[in-house]
Amino acid sequence: MTDIRASADSLMKGQSSARAAKGPRDPYAVLRWTLLAMGAIVMVMPIVYMLSASIKYPFEMYDLNIIPKEPTFENYTYVLSDGRFLRWFGNSFLIATLTTISAVFFDALVGYALCKFTFRGRTFMFIAILSTLMIPTEMLVIPWYLMSKSFGWLDSYWGIMFPGIMTAFGTFLMKQFFETVPDDFLEAARIDGLNEFQIWWSVALPLVAPALSALAIFIFLGNWTAFLWPLIVTNSQDLYTLPVGLTTFSVEQAVEWELIMTGAALATIPTLIVFLLFQRYIIRGVAMAGLKG
Amino acid sequence: MATVSLQNLRKTYGKTEVLHGLSLDVADGEFVVLVGPSGCGKSTTLRMIAGLEDVSGGEVRIGGQVVNHLEPKDRNIAMVFQNYAIYPHMTVRKNIGFGLRRAKMPAADKARRIEEVAAILSMTDYLDRKPAQLSGGQRQRVAIGRAMVRDPAVFLFDEPLSNLDAQLRSQMRLEIKKLHQRMHTTIVFVTHDQVEAMTMADRIVIMKDGHIQQVGTPAEVFHQPANIFVAQFIGAPSMNLLAGQAVAGSITVAGRSLARDAGQTGPITVGIRPDDLRVTDGPSSFEGRVVLLEPLGAETLAYVDIGGQEVVARADGRNPPALGAVVQLHVAPENLHLFDGDGKAVE
Ligand SMILES: Nc1ncnc2c1ncn2[C@@H]1O[C@H](COP(=O)(O)OP(=O)(O)OP(=O)(O)O)[C@@H](O)[C@H]1O
Ligand SMILES: [Mg+2]
């Protein structure tokens, strides 16, 4: 955690020294800031374009002007009053939330066990879990599909969620973070009479709260934006998640870009909220982790 | 309150044995300090008493009952750790009360008990703070409070003071001792600091390489060390060791003959505490050249070369000898410590 602080420090120092460096320009600074600015533009442009497109009428869609001649919020009223959008939004929200809760819970549980208990086959199990990280989703969807089919999970919420209820990445992350929790804490709690689950829940978890928040953000965003698997496993429109649903705006007569962009703009709102919510907690967690003992 | 008794206690990690059959009896209400160099097995012993470490052989008894297979929580012990192990996310009040979570008593009684403990440790004003807002000494007090609150039969301390600075350490040393005098709980305290051991213990257990070297009161281990290891470990600066030759009625050391009957003849190791070896103008035991001076204020330590062997002696702090000067050193023959070829004390 000190790393984060140190890098924040150095960032701040970088800023002030850049400010201080008036007079003859440092060529490296010019190069650095130019590259960063270009990077920022590349990152921001699609978002700007998305927002701009969401307030355009269809006729203006293919003009590449950023500020429309006739801005309108009609797209928003249309999308928000369309029952499908709200339904998909709700689906995505439900699925992402449940998956996040489940994955954070189980990842932390398994990571803790792998980190703090010695048992036969521990290393093997850890390596086995890690090795699944090397298999891309694209390869997994086929076995997932076959599995869902034989269990009758196709076209159901559970079918969309089950691959994500636990993650190898989260398990790995949590195991690494639990390494930073001194065993003394756990032993003190053991002497105080807590059982192993209580020790995990009320002593170990609060001590890795920043990691939990980070993991929650990752998992929520990952599920919120997941496209391939929900597309494959769902059939009925009612079960679409937002990313899947948004693409169907385009399969009617013509591609309705302004509606897709409006939906996409609305879809970023929960991710922003989740990030802002947990980010505060991460910063508080960092401050807490700084103390010894 | 309870006695603690270790019988032929062994601990092995894999194939290596780190404790080789320890036997020790701690009386009810006694303050026993385990001391020894790093890696000698102090923590392991303590953790086996606590139940945090499995017993590989022998028995641990608390209050006469064999507890080898009891969980830590069922042994009625409390432990204070080196890095305090107080929870950063809980207030002092919660930390202290943590040990009471399982206790079946009304919430009001628990609250009163926490207040009581906080008062004893003068932490009343800090009850609602988080550990981050406390000094090192205050944090350690919280850790002690958390241990006290359950009123355990035995207190176990594992180097609780080693993270504190020197001044705070001596202050906390006194506080723990006072606490013991007030509560009379059996205490087993681990440290590698012999000063801590000497100042606090009723009895000291000196360990080395998984063996007990000597058990005794601070005075006993200081004045009658059982072997060379104990003699050198206890007391600062360390005891001087000189090679000598025992004949009937006297011992020859560094070319001088000292009137002391070793009760045996042949080569012998002679130990002299720096405190017993004085730079003097009067009758002397040794003569040598000063090679180094270490002023301590009231006294000065003089490192003196006597016939090729270097010894540490005490000199007056007001008029210490000059560097390079030839000085006379005196030791009373009864203050010599004698050790045989195996390093065991003679007599
Ligand atoms: N989990 C373990 N696995 C293997 N060996 C261990 C383990 N724990 C301790 N040991 C060994 O047991 C011996 C005693 O360790 P212990 O921690 O009791 O020493 P100590 O006297 O407390 O030392 P210190 O003053 O450094 O704390 C050491 O040699 C150590 O290397
Ligand atoms: Mg230790």
Side-chain angles (χ1 to χ4, degrees), chain B residues 13-14 16 18-19 36-45 47 53 82 158-159 190-192 207:
Chain B
Y13 287 110
T16 40
V18 297
L19 289 184
S38 187
C40 70
K42 310 176 295 281
S43 297
T44 307
T45 309
R47 293 164 55 81
E53 210 76 68
Q82 176 171 353
D158 193 353
E159 310 210 17
V190 162
T191 176
H192 60 258
M207 294 177 61

Side-chain angles (χ1 to χ4, degrees), chain B residues 40-318:
Chain B
C40 70
K42 310 176 295 281
S43 297
T44 307
T45 309
L46 199 73
R47 293 164 55 81
M48 283 163 88
I49 299 174
L52 294 171
E53 210 76 68
D54 288 337
V55 175
S56 311
E59 273 182 359
V60 179
R61 291 165 183 266
I62 295 177
Q65 187 199 358
V66 178
V67 295
N68 282 27
H69 299 293
L70 286 189
E71 292 286 314
K73 63 179 192 311
D74 300 323
R75 296 189 181 197
N76 199 11
I77 45 122
M79 186 155 166
V80 177
F81 295 84
Q82 176 171 353
N83 65 11
Y84 326 141
I86 55 174
Y87 308 119
H89 57 288
M90 297 180 192
T91 60
V92 169
R93 188 188 303 279
K94 274 198 144 178
N95 262 294
I96 293 180
F98 202 71
L100 287 179
R101 280 168 52 127
R102 245 166 43 105
K104 287 188 185 61
M105 55 163 95
D109 285 359
K110 285 187 186 176
R112 187 155 357 101
R113 181 90 189 106
I114 294 170
E115 298 277 351
E116 245 172 59
V117 167
I120 293 175
L121 297 167
S122 22
M123 289 294 291
T124 308
D125 296 340
Y126 303 97
L127 275 174
D128 293 311
R129 291 208 193 170
K130 291 256 178 93
Q133 301 156 304
L134 298 177
S135 72
Q138 290 166 337
R139 283 183 211 175
Q140 193 52 284
R141 255 175 267 186
V142 175
I144 295 172
R146 198 180 66 181
M148 279 170 60
V149 75
R150 270 188 302 136
D151 209 4
V154 181
F155 262 127
L156 306 173
F157 288 85
D158 193 353
E159 310 210 17
L161 308 182
S162 51
N163 280 357
L164 305 178
D165 64 40
Q167 201 178 354
L168 203 53
R169 192 151 59 212
S170 54
Q171 184 193 334
M172 287 300 293
R173 211 155 66 199
L174 281 179
E175 283 187 26
I176 294 178
K177 198 169 173 177
K178 270 190 215 147
L179 210 63
H180 176 248
Q181 280 165 2
R182 177 168 172 175
M183 325 233 311
H184 295 293
T185 311
T186 313
I187 292 183
V188 182
F189 188 107
V190 162
T191 176
H192 60 258
D193 180 353
Q194 55 97 16
V195 178
E196 233 165 79
M198 292 293 281
T199 49
M200 293 200 290
D202 291 333
R203 275 194 308 156
I204 297 182
V205 178
I206 296 141
M207 294 177 61
K208 181 194 170 200
D209 297 339
H211 290 285
I212 290 182
Q213 301 293 310
Q214 187 173 2
V215 182
T217 63
E220 276 165 12
V221 298
F222 187 80
H223 295 296
Q224 295 139 33
N227 56 38
I228 290 185
F229 175 78
V230 175
Q232 288 236 291
F233 192 81
I234 300 290
S238 275
M239 183 184 279
N240 298 300
L241 293 177
L242 299 166
Q245 199 71 30
V247 293
S250 74
I251 299 164
T252 313
V253 188
R256 297 290 192 98
S257 178
L258 303 175
R260 170 80 182 263
D261 187 3
Q264 63 181 70
T265 56
I268 201 163
T269 304
V270 176
I272 309 170
R273 293 230 177 259
D275 284 305
D276 296 331
L277 190 62
R278 294 266 159 188
V279 175
T280 170
D281 302 327
S284 82
S285 319
F286 304 106
E287 185 183 87
R289 189 176 296 278
V290 177
V291 293
L292 187 74
L293 289 169
E294 223 174 33
L296 299 176
E299 293 187 308
T300 294
L301 293 182
Y303 292 73
V304 182
D305 184 349
I306 52 170
Q309 306 187 73
E310 194 176 289
V311 294
V312 187
R314 296 238 179 209
D316 187 14
R318 285 186 218 281

Side-chain angles (χ1 to χ4, degrees), chain A residues 183-199:
Chain A
D183 289 344
D184 286 1
F185 282 118
L186 315 178
E187 292 179 342
R190 214 159 279 153
I191 290 177
D192 281 337
L194 272 67
N195 64 34
E196 295 302 320
F197 185 82
Q198 290 169 323
I199 293 173

